[in-house]
Amino acid sequence: MSAPNGSAFEQPESFAFDAESEAEIAHVITRYPPGKQASAVLPAMYVAQRQMKRQTGSAWIPVKAMDAVAARLGMPAIRVYEVATFYFMFNTSPIGKFHLQVCTTTPCWLRGSDEITEACRKETGIKGWGETSDDGLFTMTEVECLGACVNAPILQVDDNFYEDMDAAKVTELLAALRRGERPFPGSMTGRQTSAPEGGPNTLTTLHFAPEG
Amino acid sequence: MVKVTIDGITVEVAAGSTILQAAEQAGVEIPRFCYHERLSIAGNCRMCLVEVEKTPPKPIASCGYPVAEGMVVHTDTPMVRNARRGVMEFLLINHPLDCPICDQGGECDLQDQAMGYGMDHSRYAENKRAVPDKNLGPLVKTSMNRCIHCTRCIRFITEVAGVPDLGATARGEHMEVGTYVEKALGSELSGNIIDLCPVGALTSKPYAFVARPWELAKVDSVDVLDAVGTNIRIDARGPEVLRILPRINEDVNEEWLGDKSRFAIDGLKRRRLDRPWVRENGKLRAATWTEAFDAIAAKLKPLKGEQIGAIAGDLCDAESMLALKDLFVRLGSTNLDCRQDGAKLDASRRDFYCFNTSISGIDEADAILIVGSNPRKEAPVLNARIRKRWASSGAVIGVIGDAADLTYPATHLGAGPSVLKDLQSDSHDFAKVLAAAKKPMIIVGQGALARPDGSAVLAAAWRLAAHVGALSSEWHGFNVLHTAASRVGALDLGFVPGPNGKTLDAMLGGGVEFLWLLGADGFDASHVGAGTFVVYQGHHGDAGAHRADVILPGAAYTEKSGTYVNTEGRAQRGFKAVYAPGEAREDWTILRAFSAVIGKTLPYDTIDALRARLEQVNPVFGRVGFLPRFGCSDHTGPAGDPTVLSAAPFVSAVTNYYQTDPISRASPTMAACVAAQAAPALAAE
C-alpha cells in the first residue's frame, strides 16, 4: 500500500495498550470461549486503531500495534498482519484526521457517487484514492458497498454514515468538519432512517390505535 | 472402507478419504498445486477438478471432497478437461513467461501441468501484475511474480516447521505471500519450502543459476550432519556437489531435510585437505603419500600398544572406523574412543545408546520427556516428528534442561538432573502424566550425558523409564538422541576402550604417545599432550588438522560409499557421488594401504570384503535400511549410580545449529545463516 502523499512514513518505535484499550480488549476477549481469544483479533485491532486516533489523531495501526495485538491474544504476528491487510477498515499507514470513505458500488454510483467523489476532491484538493490532503485533515478512500443502499449515495466519515448525499451537502459537511463540528450522522435529507421521501406512501389507510 | 469407482477402476479406500487420495490409490493421476499429502487441505488452486456422477453438473475440487459409497468419478471427460484448461489459463494470467531463466525450469509442476492440461495460448493480453521480491534470508530466494498462491509454503512453515513466519497479506489481486515485516525465516527446516513450491517462486539462493536439473547426476545417500540419518539425494555435476535434496523415507525423515544438511555443501569445496602433509621443524609441508606413511610408520615402530590411541570423529562411516579399529587391534592397542564430546554412553547393551522407540515410533507416543536436549537444534527433522505427534494427538511434552522454543508447547520441568529424581515420586505432576501414558517416551540428549555425572544421568533416566512403565515387552520408551552421525555405528562396532583401554580423556594430556584422529574435530585439540604425535585423517582443515603432525587427506561423505547407523540404530548406506579432491582417498583404503606399509595388512581388499567383516562384527550392519523394533524385557539399567547427580543445569549439545562440524564450519552459506539469525531484520542479500 502506498504511503500518504507518496512519501514514506515512519513506523513508531513502540506501541503499548493504554488503560482504556486494555479494558476494552479484556472485555472483547470475554465474548469468546477460553483458549479461543485469537477470535478477538478484529475488535482488538479496532481498539488499537482507536488508541492511535486518540494518541496521534490518525486512526491507523502500525506494525508494533499489530505485534501488541498478537502478543495480547497469543497468536503469531503474521496471522495479525494477514487480517490487518485483508480488511480495508484497518489502515496500515497513517491517514488524515478525517477518513472520507466514498462508497462507489453500483447503487451508490447510480445515485451519484461520482458527484460525491468530485466534491470531496474539490473541497480537499485530494487527487486520487488513498491520498491525504495537504493540510493533513482528510484522507479519501474508495470503499465497497457499505450496506446502506436505500440511502445511497453514502459518504462514511470515520465511523459515521452520512446518507443521501450530494455535492452541496458534501461541501457543507466538510466545512463543518473543518470547523471542528460533527454533524449528526444519518440521512442528510432529513428523512427518518430509510423511510420514503415526503412521508409514507404505503399502508396509508391503516390507522393504529394510540399507544396505551 | 468405501468403494469408489474412478475412471472405471474400483478401489476400496478408508472412509473420510478424499477423491484425490482415492485416485492415487487407483493409480489415476490428478493434477494439483496446492494439495500436498503432508499439509492441510487448502483447496485454492482448483487444478484437481473432476466430475462426479449424480452430483450437480459442475466440476468438483477432488482434493477436498470426501468419498462416499458407490461414488463414480471421471477425471477425463470433456467438462473436466475444459475446466482444467480454464484453471490453468487463470493461473497463467499473472505468471511470467520466464521459464528459460527460472531455476525451477525442468522440474516445475506448473511447466509440466501446463503441458499436460493447459491450452497452447492465453486469451489474456493485459499487463501481468508485478510483485516485489521478498528477502527471506540467505537460503530461500524469491521471485514472487511467479507465485501462484498455492500457500504450500505458508502451511509448511506454520504446520510442520511450527515457526509461523509466512503468511498471505492483502487480498485479491494484491495478495502477496511473505513475512510482511522483512526478516529471515526462523525455521531450521525452511529449505523444504523450496521443494514444496510447485513453481519457481521459492528457489535455493546458493543454487541460483548454477545448473539445470537434467545436467545433474543423482546419487542416493544419507545425511551425516546430524544423527537422524535423513535420506538424501546428492545432485552433482562433474566433480562438484551442487545440491542436496531429501528422499522420501517414511520411517526416518518423511520427506523433510534440515537446512544445515541441505545447504552446508558449499563447505565441501572449502578448506579441503587434498594432499598429505607432514610436519617438519614445527611447520607442515606438502608431502607424498609414501612420505606421510613412512613418517607415521617410523614414529609408530618403537611404540607399544598401550602408548597409542585412536579417536573417531562424528562424520565417519562405519567401514573406515572398523578398518581403524582392526588396525589398532593388530598394533595391540585398545585405546579407542568415539565419544569426542565425552558423553558417558554405555556401549554394553545396544538399547542403552539407541533411540529405541524409533523415529516412526514417535507417532505412537502419548507423553514425551526430553532430558538435556534441544531436538530443534540437534535434529530438526526429528523435532518436526515430535511436533506432528503433538499436533495430531496432543501428546504431552516435558523438558528438563534449556527452556528453549521447540515449536510446540512443552512443560519446562527444571534445568538440572535433580528433576529426574523428583519425577520418581508419584506426586510430581509430570510423573503422573508419564505414569498415566500408555506409551511414554524419555529422550536423553547428549547435553545430559556429556558431563561428569553423565553416567549417573543415564542410569537415572533409565530408572525413571522403568519406573513410569516406559519399558515393556511391546514398547521401548528409552531413547538416546545423538548428534553425531557416526556415533551409533562406532558403538555398534565397539569403537570404545577395550580391556585396560584409555578413554578420550585419558588419552589427552600426554596419556598416549601417538594419536590417530579419524575425522575427529569435535574436542579441544589443545588438550592433546605436547609430546603426542598426531595423525589426522580427514577431509577438512579444521581443529584436528591444525594440531596434526601428519595429515592424511580422506573423503567426505559425498565422496565415498559408506554405512552409517542413525540414532535409532538403523544402518543405512550412502553412495559415492563425486571423487574426493586431489590426492584424497576413501578412508578405508588409506587405512588398508597403511596397514600394508607397517606389515599388519588388513584382510580386506574390497569394500564388499570389508562389509562382510562389518557384518561379522555386528549383524546390524547387514540389515541396511531395516530397523526391527524391540520391547524391553531386561530392566537392568546402564552402569552408573543414579543417585550421584550434580546440580549443574543441562546445556544442549548444539547451541549453534548451523555450525556443528567441519563441513558446516567451512560453509559460507552457514556463516550467513548465523549472521541472519543474529540480526533477522537485517538479513543481507
Side-chain angles (χ1 to χ4, degrees):
Chain A
M1 263 180 209
S2 61
N5 296 333
S7 64
F9 60 95
E10 294 228 341
Q11 293 277 351
E13 294 287 311
S14 64
F15 179 92
F17 292 118
D18 59 15
E20 188 180 339
S21 299
E22 192 47 59
E24 284 184 63
I25 289 185
H27 175 69
V28 296
I29 287 176
T30 58
R31 294 182 202 156
Y32 305 97
K36 307 282 180 193
Q37 71 276 11
S39 301
V41 64
L42 284 173
M45 275 198 291
Y46 272 124
V47 169
Q49 190 160 292
R50 278 199 296 272
Q51 180 180 331
M52 284 302 287
K53 172 88 176 175
R54 281 200 302 279
Q55 292 176 340
T56 68
S58 171
W60 71 295
I61 179 155
V63 170
K64 288 286 177 199
M66 298 183 214
D67 292 343
V69 169
R72 182 69 179 79
L73 302 180
M75 60 197 291
I78 185 71
R79 297 283 96 81
V80 181
Y81 304 155
E82 286 179 327
V83 176
T85 52
F86 186 87
Y87 293 106
F88 54 67
M89 293 81 177
F90 299 113
N91 302 305
T92 51
S93 55
I95 59 163
K97 188 175 174 192
F98 303 106
H99 191 190
L100 308 179
Q101 296 151 76
V102 187
C103 174
T104 57
T105 308
T106 319
C108 280
W109 175 68
L110 285 169
R111 296 278 295 152
S113 66
D114 287 351
E115 195 189 324
I116 311 297
T117 314
E118 202 41 54
C120 287
R121 285 206 178 117
K122 213 174 110 206
E123 286 303 310
T124 58
I126 293 170
K127 288 187 185 60
W129 299 120
E131 288 182 12
T132 301
S133 60
D134 292 335
D135 54 11
L137 280 181
F138 300 102
T139 297
M140 182 176 74
T141 52
E142 180 182 35
V143 294
E144 300 303 328
C145 185
L146 291 170
C149 312
V150 183
N151 293 14
I154 315 289
L155 172 62
Q156 185 185 349
V157 180
D158 298 342
D159 294 337
N160 297 325
F161 280 14
Y162 293 92
E163 303 154 359
D164 298 324
M165 298 299 282
D166 58 30
K169 295 194 183 95
V170 170
T171 312
E172 216 172 286
L173 174 64
L174 297 193
L177 292 172
R178 280 187 205 276
R179 289 195 300 273
E181 296 165 19
R182 278 275 180 177
F184 193 77
S187 171
M188 292 291 107
T189 56
R191 62 168 157 168
Q192 183 194 0
T193 62
S194 46
E197 270 181 85
N201 52 23
T202 56
L203 305 178
T204 47
T205 55
L206 278 181
H207 296 284
F208 296 98
E211 274 183 50
Chain B
M1 298 297 270
V2 181
K3 263 207 183 89
V4 194
T5 308
I6 298 168
D7 288 352
I9 304 166
T10 305
V11 283
E12 253 190 71
V13 296
S17 309
T18 62
I19 296 176
L20 201 151
Q21 284 164 337
E24 302 247 288
Q25 221 165 303
V28 175
E29 187 188 271
I30 295 183
R32 83 289 299 267
F33 294 110
C34 71
Y35 174 82
H36 191 275
E37 60 267 29
R38 287 174 223 278
L39 304 175
S40 64
I41 292 169
N44 53 16
C45 75
R46 315 309 288 181
M47 195 62 206
C48 61
L49 297 173
V50 296
E51 191 175 344
V52 180
E53 280 184 14
K54 291 179 191 151
T55 57
K58 60 170 188 175
I60 280 168
S62 60
C63 70
Y65 202 88
V67 292
E69 181 62 43
M71 192 180 254
V72 181
V73 180
H74 301 283
T75 71
D76 199 22
T77 61
M79 178 175 85
V80 170
R81 258 177 278 159
N82 199 30
R84 286 179 185 162
R85 266 203 299 273
V87 167
M88 183 54 83
E89 195 178 5
F90 273 6
L91 288 172
L92 293 176
I93 289 178
N94 281 317
H95 192 84
L97 288 174
D98 62 352
C99 303
I101 56 149
C102 175
D103 268 326
Q104 192 87 353
E107 48 185 5
C108 175
D109 289 356
L110 191 63
Q111 252 184 345
D112 297 347
Q113 293 182 28
M115 285 299 290
Y117 304 98
M119 276 203 291
D120 59 346
H121 69 285
S122 170
R123 288 168 288 184
Y124 289 89
E126 286 80 6
N127 285 339
K128 292 175 187 264
R129 80 177 191 145
V131 184
D133 289 344
K134 312 287 184 289
N135 181 3
L136 299 180
L139 302 179
V140 181
K141 180 177 180 246
T142 61
S143 297
M144 299 313 288
N145 281 342
R146 298 174 188 153
C147 179
I148 58 165
H149 300 167
C150 69
T151 69
R152 274 187 189 179
C153 53
I154 300 175
R155 283 176 283 146
F156 173 83
I157 285 286
T158 307
E159 295 162 11
V160 178
V163 186
D165 281 340
L166 284 174
T169 52
R171 63 153 117 175
E173 177 83 3
H174 302 285
M175 176 176 154
E176 290 183 20
V177 172
T179 51
Y180 191 62
V181 178
E182 181 174 297
K183 65 171 172 180
L185 295 174
S187 170
E188 291 76 17
L189 294 167
S190 64
N192 293 298
I193 64 177
I194 297 167
D195 297 343
L196 287 173
C197 185
V199 299
L202 304 174
T203 52
S204 166
K205 213 172 245 185
Y207 177 70
F209 309 128
V210 167
R212 285 297 188 187
W214 55 84
E215 301 172 317
L216 303 170
K218 300 161 178 79
V219 177
D220 287 354
S221 188
V222 179
D223 173 52
V224 301
L225 302 188
D226 62 30
V228 175
T230 302
N231 290 206
I232 55 170
R233 190 185 91 192
I234 301 171
D235 284 4
R237 184 177 58 188
E240 228 182 334
V241 174
L242 293 182
R243 65 172 178 180
I244 286 186
L245 298 176
R247 267 188 299 140
I248 294 177
N249 186 333
E250 296 295 341
D251 292 335
V252 181
N253 57 307
E254 296 184 302
E255 61 178 275
W256 315 129
L257 178 61
D259 284 351
K260 176 172 54 184
S261 311
R262 184 189 296 265
F263 291 108
I265 45 166
D266 51 354
L268 289 170
K269 289 185 288 186
R270 288 170 174 82
R271 294 194 216 160
R272 287 303 300 269
L273 301 171
D274 58 357
R275 61 184 308 160
W277 296 79
V278 175
R279 194 177 292 276
E280 271 175 7
N281 307 321
K283 281 191 84 169
L284 285 169
R285 72 158 177 91
T288 62
W289 276 106
T290 321
E291 286 172 324
F293 279 169
D294 289 346
I296 304 169
K299 187 74 195 171
L300 207 48
K301 203 162 196 184
L303 296 176
K304 290 200 198 64
E306 64 265 26
Q307 290 172 302
I308 63 173
I311 297 168
D314 291 347
L315 310 180
C316 301
D317 54 310
E319 286 85 351
S320 59
M321 288 190 291
L322 180 65
L324 184 60
K325 185 187 175 191
D326 283 349
L327 177 65
F328 270 66
V329 168
R330 278 173 170 67
L331 292 167
S333 173
T334 53
N335 301 332
L336 303 168
D337 211 341
C338 63
R339 296 161 299 188
Q340 286 189 87
D341 50 5
K344 304 285 188 293
L345 290 159
D346 187 339
S348 63
R349 221 172 86 187
R350 198 158 191 251
D351 56 350
F352 290 164
Y353 59 81
C354 279
F355 198 93
N356 301 301
T357 307
S358 83
I359 294 172
S360 58
I362 295 173
D363 296 347
E364 298 165 33
D366 44 8
I368 301 172
L369 174 67
I370 299 168
V371 182
S373 171
N374 179 348
R376 179 175 168 186
K377 305 280 180 204
E378 293 170 22
V381 172
L382 187 141
N383 195 51
R385 198 85 174 214
I386 300 177
R387 181 183 153 78
K388 176 180 158 193
R389 182 59 185 160
W390 163 78
S392 67
S393 78
V396 190
I397 296 144
V399 175
I400 307 175
D402 302 336
D405 174 12
L406 297 176
T407 72
Y408 41 82
T411 318
H412 188 238
L413 305 169
S418 62
V419 185
L420 285 172
K421 219 182 279 175
D422 301 344
L423 285 169
Q424 302 266 0
S425 95
D426 295 327
S427 58
H428 195 285
D429 281 345
F430 200 80
K432 285 181 200 159
V433 172
L434 285 174
K438 286 196 185 69
K439 293 183 169 179
M441 273 178 83
I442 293 179
I443 301 175
V444 183
Q446 298 306 296
L449 303 176
R451 41 191 269 147
D453 63 343
S455 44
V457 173
L458 187 70
W462 179 278
R463 183 183 279 193
L464 178 63
H467 180 75
V468 299
L471 309 176
S472 73
S473 50
E474 279 85 43
W475 177 257
H476 202 318
F478 181 81
N479 300 285
V480 176
L481 177 59
H482 289 273
T483 53
S486 70
R487 191 66 52 83
V488 174
L491 295 169
D492 279 344
L493 55 84
F495 207 97
V496 286
N500 305 318
K502 290 178 174 144
T503 62
L504 171 68
D505 277 343
M507 284 189 263
L508 297 180
V512 287
E513 303 275 305
F514 176 98
L515 199 52
W516 190 298
L517 306 180
L518 182 63
D521 297 286
F523 64 97
D524 190 348
S526 65
H527 292 167
V528 176
T532 307
F533 187 85
V534 177
V535 174
Y536 180 81
Q537 177 185 352
H539 42 80
H540 271 75
D542 208 73
H546 286 296
R547 173 61 186 82
D549 294 290
V550 174
I551 293 174
L552 304 176
Y557 70 110
T558 50
E559 296 150 7
K560 60 187 170 191
S561 174
T563 308
Y564 302 92
V565 187
N566 76 351
T567 190
E568 302 170 283
R570 183 193 305 270
Q572 301 186 104
R573 198 155 285 165
F575 295 95
K576 178 175 180 166
V578 294
Y579 285 97
E583 293 175 42
R585 293 291 178 269
E586 292 184 40
D587 292 273
W588 78 270
T589 60
I590 298 172
L591 290 157
R592 166 68 181 74
F594 178 69
S595 69
V597 170
I598 55 168
K600 309 265 185 196
T601 311
L602 293 170
Y604 21 80
D605 295 333
T606 63
I607 189 90
D608 290 331
L610 176 50
R611 284 185 178 146
R613 161 86 181 125
L614 257 182
E615 206 174 330
Q616 182 195 342
V617 171
N618 195 330
V620 299
F621 291 106
R623 296 195 291 257
V624 171
F626 172 70
L627 183 76
R629 275 176 69 185
F630 301 103
C632 178
S633 40
D634 182 1
H635 288 197
T636 324
D641 181 354
T643 55
V644 290
L645 300 166
S646 83
F650 293 132
V651 180
S652 166
V654 176
T655 45
N656 176 4
Y657 165 70
Y658 295 103
Q659 294 172 321
T660 53
D661 50 80
I663 298 174
S664 55
R665 278 194 290 266
S667 159
T669 307
M670 290 295 103
C673 286
V674 174
Q677 296 302 328
L682 301 171
E685 273 297 316

